[in-house]
Amino acid sequence: MSESLVIPRNAGRKEIYEALVPQLNALLEGESDFIANLANTAAALKEAFGFFWVGFYVVKENQLVLGPFQGPIACTRIAFDRGVCGHAYQTQQTVLVPDVEKFPGHIACNSLSRSEIVVPLFGSNGEVIAVLDVDSDRLNDFSEIDAAFLEKIVRLLSV
Ligand code: SME
């Protein structure tokens, strides 16, 4: 296993994802522990892009419970019908929020968060087992490129 990531500097986000995905794949396929893999994925995304907050909420005890993350401390439990994370859980789809203030029910774990993307992870029966939440301190920071690559990345984590 490679011990450090090689991230192209001065590259666009798509190029960085293209460099990151095979390295993450190599890192994750050598480890079967779900939490360990969530932890390295959060760290890799933080290192590659410097996102304000990147982490996972795991389906547990009939709610979404904070899992491995990188960034400031965050809310620990989210009901299935609350926030952007709950919306992604319920719709089983990626949710792109260009301006968190315009998303009804958005949960502000940190007032510096301005835009957000949440991507569901699926288990072997097609059920949502966790969500990946990435927050930016800039408005409108996420696009379909992030959606496509983050969906690819969470597929590497599916159990
Ligand atoms: N904003 C999320 C809550 C999680 S934090 O941002 C880390 C939401 O509305 O679901």
Side-chain angles (χ1 to χ4, degrees):
M1 184 197 90
S2 161
E3 303 242 326
S4 59
L5 295 173
V6 179
I7 310 290
R9 299 293 161 197
N10 305 316
R13 204 171 273 185
K14 181 165 182 282
E15 289 68 33
I16 297 177
Y17 278 119
E18 282 167 350
L20 185 62
V21 168
Q23 295 181 74
L24 254 183
N25 191 26
L27 184 64
L28 302 177
E29 70 184 2
E31 175 55 61
S32 59
D33 187 83
F34 185 56
I35 296 295
N37 284 337
L38 298 186
N40 262 341
T41 301
L45 288 169
K46 177 77 172 172
E47 184 179 338
F49 298 103
F51 291 131
F52 177 69
W53 195 93
V54 45
F56 294 89
Y57 282 88
V58 179
V59 174
K60 212 184 264 187
E61 298 158 10
N62 219 25
Q63 56 197 330
L64 296 166
V65 181
L66 183 64
F69 73 97
Q70 298 271 318
I73 58 168
C75 331
T76 54
R77 290 170 188 264
I78 298 176
F80 289 148
D81 60 354
R82 296 286 315 283
V84 185
C85 289
H87 193 62
Y89 172 82
Q90 286 191 317
T91 59
Q92 307 199 337
Q93 285 181 350
T94 297
V95 183
L96 255 170
V97 180
D99 180 351
V100 297
E101 287 183 10
K102 295 192 176 135
F103 186 93
H106 167 259
I107 300 165
C109 289
N110 190 298
S111 60
L112 293 177
S113 180
R114 310 286 302 280
S115 60
E116 168 164 3
I117 183 169
V118 180
V119 182
L121 274 74
F122 297 97
S124 51
N125 298 322
E127 78 284 19
V128 177
I129 54 170
V131 298
L132 166 63
D133 179 352
V134 187
D135 292 10
S136 174
D137 55 5
R138 294 188 291 160
L139 274 178
N140 203 14
D141 199 17
F142 301 104
S143 72
E144 290 303 327
I145 290 176
D146 298 283
F149 279 98
L150 293 175
E151 285 169 7
K152 198 177 276 211
I153 286 168
V154 301
R155 280 199 292 275
L156 304 175
L157 292 162
S158 293
V159 289

